[in-house]
Every structure is written in C-alpha cells, then in structure tokens.
Amino acid sequence: MIRVVVVDDEALIRTGFQRILDTADDIEVVAAVPGGRAVHTVREFRPEVVLLDIRMPDVDGLAVLADLRRLQGAPVVAMLTTFDADEYVATALRSGASGFLLKDTDPEQLPHLIRTLAEGGTVLSSQVTRKVVAGYLDADPQGPATRAVARLTERERAVLVLMAEGLANIDIGERMHLSAGTVKGHVSTIFTKLEVGSRVQAVLFAERAGLLRLSRDGVGS
C-alpha cells in the first residue's frame, strides 16, 4: 500500500482527495489534515507521499515543505495549487518538491499520479509548468544550465528526457534495456553534473538549457 497524507486548510479539498484516492486498492490516505498539523502527522504516520497545499491562510506551505524535507526518511512531497501561474511554484521546486498539480486535476488521473510519485517519478502539471519555465526558468543558450547539460553523455541525456516523462528508474530501464541499478547510477551522475538534488530540479534545469520542452498535459509530465 502507498500511504498518503493530504495537507490542505480547506476541509472540502481534503475530503475530496481522500475519497478519490481511497477508491484505489493500492493507495491509503492515512490522514488528511490542515497545515498546522502537517509535520506532526507525517512524523506519526510515515507516509510515502504527501500532497501539500502551497498556499494556506495560517501556515506557509513552503515552510512546511522545508520542515518535511528535513525529516529522517522524508516523504515525497507534491505541491497542490489552484493557480496556474503561482509565483511560489519555482521556489517549491528548488526546495525539493517532487512535483506539483492543480487541485482540479482529473480525478481519474490522481491514483496514477500518486503511483508515479511513490515510484520516484515526477508529476508536473503542464498548465503551471509552462508559466514557471517561461516566467522563472527561461532558456539561456550561453548560461550555466546549458554548459552543465553539455557535460552529460548521450545516454545520460536520454535518461534525463525519460525522467522528464515522469518515468521511475525501473521504467526507464525497460525503455532503454538497462537494469534499474544502472539507471540509478546514471541518475546520480546527472544530479552531480547538474548540481541538483531532485528529479524535478534536474528536469527544469534541462528545460532551462533547452534540452527538452515540458508541454505534455498532466500525467507524469
């Protein structure tokens, strides 16, 4: 079972996500709480995935993200937003969020998105991604991002492109006819060469360098 905690100050949003995800046989929402209880709840239930509202009236979602990232055995965190041009999204990604999605994401897609996150993939809602890339992470053909991506080998660039599709290591291995361990090694090398700490950061770094275009809609993009 994939254990999930939903953090949002709106009870209707919490209830809605819980009801949708609880229909999946392999996903269990172990808690749905407002922002002020997020860290305590995650410590208590030790979920694999946390869905965290990026904007809450009484608690800074980015501060909660930072606290969660410091926990031992920190969960994967995906940010929730109702905004398709939220100025905090880029900061959240740089701070270690494993993705973000809109609160009105198609309910049928949500279980797949949770599985993608739990398997080490990325979840980027393209409505937001286009604004983030255009507004905060513009391509710079002569910049450090381009120079760093140029240091990647052809195979590492291929792995990075598949990471951008939201694929976990085992899926990338199947696509490239490599073992999951070999893919894991490539991912580690990519992180080192790009000087990033997460898959989402690597993907956005590559986008800034012009290696790929994040224009896919919703699932695993």
Side-chain angles (χ1 to χ4, degrees):
M1 295 290 289
I2 302 171
R3 296 160 59 82
V4 178
V5 167
V6 179
V7 179
D8 195 295
D9 275 7
E10 295 185 44
L12 184 61
I13 296 294
R14 298 196 304 266
T15 300
F17 272 85
Q18 183 165 12
R19 288 179 176 174
I20 293 168
L21 293 174
D22 279 346
T23 63
D25 294 336
D26 59 338
I27 298 172
E28 179 186 8
V29 177
V30 295
V33 298
R37 294 171 53 194
V39 177
H40 172 78
T41 300
V42 169
R43 282 199 184 106
E44 178 181 357
F45 289 97
R46 297 294 180 182
E48 286 77 36
V49 176
V50 174
L51 300 182
L52 173 63
D53 189 6
I54 199 168
R55 277 188 172 181
M56 294 178 283
D58 299 323
V59 180
D60 183 352
L62 295 176
V64 174
L65 170 63
D67 289 340
L68 293 179
R69 294 295 298 164
R70 285 193 290 266
L71 293 177
Q72 185 175 6
V76 171
V77 181
M79 310 304 293
L80 300 174
T81 180
T82 57
F83 303 91
D84 64 358
D86 196 312
E87 65 268 28
Y88 295 116
V89 169
T91 301
L93 295 175
R94 295 188 187 104
S95 299
S98 294
F100 55 88
L101 52 91
L102 298 178
K103 293 183 182 180
D104 61 357
T105 297
D106 185 348
E108 293 185 359
Q109 293 183 356
L110 284 176
H112 173 72
L113 296 174
I114 293 298
R115 296 182 190 107
T116 298
L117 288 164
E119 292 169 359
T122 60
V123 171
L124 301 177
S125 174
S126 66
Q127 296 101 309
V128 185
T129 300
R130 283 192 292 270
K131 299 292 181 64
V132 171
V133 171
Y136 306 108
L137 300 172
D138 291 326
D140 179 0
Q142 302 301 322
T146 300
R147 293 194 295 271
V149 168
R151 292 198 294 268
L152 301 179
T153 66
E154 182 177 353
R155 175 161 288 183
E156 289 162 357
R157 287 194 292 271
V159 169
L160 182 53
V161 169
L162 293 179
M163 287 168 58
E165 294 183 16
L167 298 184
N169 290 348
I170 188 170
D171 300 313
I172 294 174
E174 290 176 358
R175 188 80 65 88
M176 297 183 65
H177 306 291
L178 301 171
S179 70
T182 299
V183 174
K184 183 178 180 180
H186 286 314
V187 171
S188 178
T189 301
I190 290 168
F191 284 6
T192 299
K193 288 183 178 181
L194 299 185
E195 299 182 359
V196 298
S198 76
R199 298 169 81 94
V200 171
Q201 290 172 326
V203 170
L204 290 179
F205 205 92
E207 171 63 24
R208 188 177 187 181
L211 179 64
L212 48 89
R213 290 292 178 266
L214 297 178
S215 59
R216 295 171 291 280
D217 192 13
V219 179
S221 58

